[in-house]
Amino acid sequence: MSKKVLVVGGGIIGLSTAYYLQQEGHQVTVLDKSGMDGGASYVNAGYLTPSHIIPLAAPGMMAQGIKYMFNSSSPFYMKPRFDWDFIKWSWHFNKSATKANVERAIPLIRDINLLSKELYTALWESKDLGEFQLEKKGLLMLYKSEAEGLHEKEVADRAAAEGLEVALLDRNQLDQLQPNLVTDIKGAVHYECDAHTTPDQLMGKLKDFLIQAGVTIKKEEEVVDFSVNGSQITGISTNKGAYAADEVVLAAGSWSFPLAKKLGLNIPIQAGKGYRINLNRPTAVKIPAILMDAKVAVTPMAGFTRFAGTMELSGINHNIMRKRVESIAKAASAYYQDLSITEAEIDAAQCGLRPVSPDGLPYIGRTQKFKNLTIASGHAMMGWSLGPATGKLVSELIAEKKPSMALEGFSPDRKF
């Protein structure tokens, strides 16, 4: 049965949800407060990462965050501030950063990433969106220090045990795959299971397809209130109008938390800012890589190379801290021979806000309070990777079909 579905949020999660909902025959309207031409869905590293099986909330992360708290150029920066929601989130994050949480999360992260990679591949093969970059060259974890190498080899062993394709490379093997690396890189872990895309390219094609397919996309419309009748959300008011709804999907990224508050729901999320620098010129980068000691991601995209990174917990804002961008830029010459990032390229850096949950798992599913509300947020650094899977799962819930995977671990009502 066709339903009127309002999707709040026009990032990769919201647009993927709209894609699968329209395929089910629903009348879909996407509402987004921005111009839908920037933010986390556009500035990310473009990775599809089954290899990223360890959640952000892992042992030692909070201690690392506190250590870096007063270093604004560090890879993981928590801005000191008195913000009650941030304090509560930090408390829940610290409680979640346990071995037990990691063990519980690993199969969930693996399965939803593999599902999403299959769906990306199906999108690419279907040509629904036309041609877009989807390359399955894997992901190199490049390390200089023995400590980083040993740590990543442990993760690689676990990934292999989970059935993921992974290879350990010495320096000679590495040079065959990725020439022009500096001499002090000792080796790499190659996650052959991973793939990459160009986010800007795919987002544009996805928007064009949805509009042609009859999906209504409303840009620069900020949700200001919800109309509620008992356990049913009947509509949404924006700064420009009002919309009736049979179903509502909250996929507003870092803004999902304050919007959920309007409904009396507690969906803990903090905005984790990341930065990107584009090099619109030829480089020697052939294979996506994470520069481990610098915590920087590098991706050869369609027509340019992207350097991206950092996790900055400083609230909802798009202020660019130049020190953090410069740290990313320094990594280029520290890992690749004869490659340096110019001042002009640094000046053109952009940022995006990733929605981070306290336990490192996204929120995907219904809430007990409202029968017709589905939450799809909190994906942190895996938002791009998990877009299609999340959209597919949400569409299955709304169509009352059996979900493609169990969703209990992603419940928005879970306790911390």
Side-chain angles (χ1 to χ4, degrees):
M1 183 181 73
S2 177
K3 298 178 181 179
K4 289 183 179 179
V5 186
L6 296 181
V7 178
V8 182
I12 186 60
I13 303 298
L15 293 189
S16 295
T17 298
Y19 175 83
Y20 290 104
L21 286 170
Q22 66 82 26
Q23 287 204 323
E24 292 283 349
H26 299 297
Q27 302 172 54
V28 185
T29 299
V30 177
L31 305 170
D32 195 281
K33 66 183 294 183
S34 76
M36 294 178 63
D37 55 3
S41 292
Y42 296 82
V43 306
N44 65 83
Y47 293 163
L48 314 185
T49 51
S51 67
H52 282 31
I53 55 175
I54 307 299
L56 186 63
M61 281 303 295
M62 181 55 75
Q64 195 172 43
I66 293 171
K67 174 186 173 183
Y68 287 147
M69 188 171 281
F70 299 101
N71 179 2
S72 60
S73 62
S74 63
F76 180 37
Y77 175 56
M78 301 170 67
K79 181 180 179 180
R81 64 192 191 276
F82 184 79
D83 176 325
W84 188 237
D85 289 326
F86 174 63
I87 291 169
K88 287 191 292 186
W89 181 94
S90 300
W91 174 255
H92 294 318
F93 182 92
N94 190 48
K95 281 178 61 181
S96 298
T98 64
K99 288 183 178 180
N101 177 60
V102 171
E103 289 302 317
R104 178 177 64 89
I106 283 174
L108 295 173
I109 294 172
R110 175 200 62 202
D111 290 351
I112 193 170
N113 267 288
L114 289 172
L115 171 62
S116 212
K117 185 182 172 186
E118 289 175 9
L119 293 171
Y120 266 114
T121 301
L123 263 179
W124 185 80
E125 291 175 344
S126 74
K127 299 291 190 282
D128 275 0
L129 310 185
E131 299 286 343
F132 65 89
Q133 184 197 35
L134 174 60
E135 296 190 51
K136 299 181 179 180
K137 295 181 177 180
L139 176 66
L140 294 172
M141 304 294 287
L142 303 176
Y143 59 87
K144 292 185 174 187
S145 70
E146 293 292 348
E148 289 286 3
L150 288 171
H151 170 74
E152 196 57 40
K153 286 172 184 175
E154 290 179 5
V155 177
D157 287 343
R158 182 58 189 270
E162 295 292 332
L164 301 174
E165 300 87 10
V166 58
L168 304 181
L169 306 180
D170 61 25
R171 184 55 200 253
N172 289 332
Q173 293 169 314
L174 177 57
D175 285 337
Q176 296 299 311
L177 286 175
Q178 177 59 70
N180 296 94
L181 294 170
V182 298
T183 57
D184 60 341
I185 294 173
K186 291 184 168 57
V189 172
H190 187 200
Y191 290 105
E192 298 165 329
C193 53
D194 288 5
H196 72 283
T197 58
T198 299
D200 317 58
Q201 177 193 62
L202 184 52
M203 288 295 287
K205 290 179 178 291
L206 186 50
K207 281 183 289 188
D208 289 345
F209 173 85
L210 291 174
I211 291 169
Q212 292 171 11
V215 172
T216 300
I217 294 181
K218 296 288 187 178
K219 302 176 184 179
E220 297 177 343
E221 289 218 26
E222 182 174 1
V223 173
V224 295
D225 207 358
F226 297 87
S227 301
V228 174
N229 182 9
S231 61
Q232 201 85 358
I233 299 173
T234 57
I236 287 177
S237 300
T238 73
N239 59 333
K240 294 183 178 179
Y243 302 86
D246 298 318
E247 295 276 352
V248 173
V249 180
L250 183 54
S254 297
W255 290 266
S256 297
F257 174 63
L259 288 174
K261 266 187 164 183
K262 291 178 181 289
L263 292 166
L265 296 171
N266 181 33
I267 310 292
I269 285 174
Q270 283 293 310
K273 189 185 298 178
Y275 298 86
R276 72 97 175 111
I277 303 172
N278 286 347
L279 277 59
N280 297 299
R281 52 189 166 94
T283 70
V285 179
K286 291 186 173 183
I287 299 179
I290 291 181
L291 318 180
M292 292 190 61
D293 301 80
K295 305 294 187 291
V296 168
V298 188
T299 316
M301 294 187 175
F304 61 96
T305 301
R306 175 168 291 177
F307 285 75
T310 85
M311 173 62 76
E312 176 188 325
L313 298 169
S314 61
I316 294 181
N317 66 77
H318 285 92
N319 303 327
I320 291 181
M321 296 180 67
R322 190 176 178 87
K323 281 184 179 180
R324 302 183 65 70
V325 181
E326 288 171 345
S327 294
I328 295 172
K330 288 177 184 175
S333 55
Y335 279 79
Y336 296 94
Q337 294 179 28
D338 304 317
L339 178 58
S340 61
I341 293 177
T342 68
E343 288 295 313
E345 288 164 338
I346 292 173
D347 291 340
Q350 293 184 5
C351 68
L353 304 179
R354 315 176 192 97
V356 186
S357 71
D359 63 357
L361 291 174
Y363 303 106
I364 307 170
R366 300 281 201 182
T367 68
Q368 292 181 354
K369 187 172 181 179
F370 297 103
K371 294 179 180 178
N372 66 333
L373 173 66
T374 306
I375 307 293
S377 189
H379 296 70
M381 294 176 291
M382 293 183 291
W384 184 259
S385 185
L386 301 183
T390 302
K392 179 71 170 176
L393 291 164
V394 170
S395 73
E396 289 168 343
L397 287 173
I398 289 174
E400 298 181 2
K401 294 182 176 180
K402 183 180 179 182
S404 296
M405 64 176 290
L407 293 176
E408 289 80 6
F410 304 125
S411 170
D413 293 325
R414 66 186 185 268
K415 304 300 180 185
F416 297 101

